[in-house]
Amino acid sequence: PEYYRELNEKGDWFFGRIECLLRETGRPWQVNHVGSLGCLYFTKQDVKDYESAKTSDTELFAKYHNHMLEQGIYLAPSQFEAVFLSHAHTEEMLEKTLDAITIFLQKI
């Protein structure tokens, strides 16, 4: 139980930080997550199902994905796939990822 509690706390912290970055920059995108599993959707609409997920800007996701690769962050290559955190992801790795997201938000 301790393992999953810590993993879920890591997910809450990480995806919560992404939500804060979006609010700070005024981006209307959606972050959905449960525990250590989450996804950033490039849409103003709340994402509750596949139909609402399809409103995402996949061209912008492609730019985001390429930017993250340039920063050494390897994500799933589709807007419709999730990020899976594990205990192997250190705070330093997650901070690097958040920094890369910040740079992307400033670039676009």
Side-chain angles (χ1 to χ4, degrees), residues 40-57:
L40 169 59
Y41 293 98
F42 295 94
T43 182
K44 294 178 185 179
Q45 182 176 332
D46 285 343
V47 176
K48 299 179 182 188
D49 54 24
Y50 181 63
E51 288 302 313
S52 54
K54 288 192 316 183
T55 67
S56 298
D57 184 339

Side-chain angles (χ1 to χ4, degrees), residues 3-19 31-39 82-87 94:
Y3 179 91
Y4 289 105
R5 184 189 62 75
E6 291 174 4
L7 190 57
N8 288 337
E9 287 175 0
K10 183 183 290 190
D12 290 343
W13 174 82
F14 179 69
F15 294 110
R17 291 282 307 275
I18 295 173
E19 289 173 333
V31 177
N32 286 8
H33 94 281
V34 175
S36 62
L37 169 68
C39 191
V83 171
F84 293 85
L85 298 181
S86 74
H87 275 289
L94 298 178

